[in-house]
Amino acid sequence: MKKAILALSISALALSLGGVASASPVSSTASAVTPATVTVTFEPANGEKAPITKQDSPTLRLGIGSTYEMEGSNWMILYGSDVVELHDYKAKMIGYGTAQVEAFKSNGAKLGVYTFKVRR
């Protein structure tokens, strides 16, 4: 513990003496939403029906940072954690690529799989 604190102190001192640290302000605001085309498909598990959606087309004009509401009680990213993040019952687009999210019912039974294709 003492070695880690000493190493951090020495690093901070070296940066301040070397002139690397600057007083320029850092912006903490989010940049503008980047437009993206998102194709969302849902493949129901055996014996399940596809959820009713408000959209007429599975291709949506969303942006990076936009969300898509999903059916189910629990969700798990199968792959593409650099493409979507899960927030409650919504998938948030965070990057370009393909992601799959598995949805489950409240009793733990598989509901189906959402596939998100996020393109520029």
Side-chain angles (χ1 to χ4, degrees):
M1 183 70 174
K2 289 181 181 180
K3 288 181 182 180
I5 292 173
L6 181 60
L8 289 173
S9 300
I10 292 172
S11 298
L13 181 61
L15 283 175
S16 63
L17 291 177
V20 176
S22 68
S24 62
V26 177
S27 173
S28 63
T29 59
S31 61
V33 172
T34 305
T37 301
V38 181
T39 304
V40 181
T41 56
F42 180 77
E43 184 179 328
N46 289 337
E48 295 297 327
K49 297 178 184 173
I52 298 171
T53 59
K54 299 175 192 171
Q55 294 82 12
D56 296 329
S57 169
T59 302
L60 310 169
R61 290 294 297 170
L62 298 174
I64 300 298
S66 298
T67 59
Y68 182 86
E69 293 182 12
M70 299 181 295
E71 298 288 324
S73 294
N74 294 304
W75 303 268
M76 177 177 66
I77 297 176
L78 298 176
Y79 66 87
S81 59
D82 57 339
V83 178
V84 297
E85 285 180 343
L86 301 180
H87 298 276
D88 295 325
Y89 57 93
K90 296 178 183 179
K92 181 179 179 182
M93 309 308 136
I94 60 169
Y96 298 104
T98 302
Q100 281 195 334
V101 177
E102 190 167 26
F104 298 92
K105 297 181 193 179
S106 59
N107 65 3
K110 184 177 174 181
L111 182 64
V113 176
Y114 286 92
T115 302
F116 297 89
K117 293 183 181 178
V118 184
R119 305 284 180 247
R120 295 180 199 266

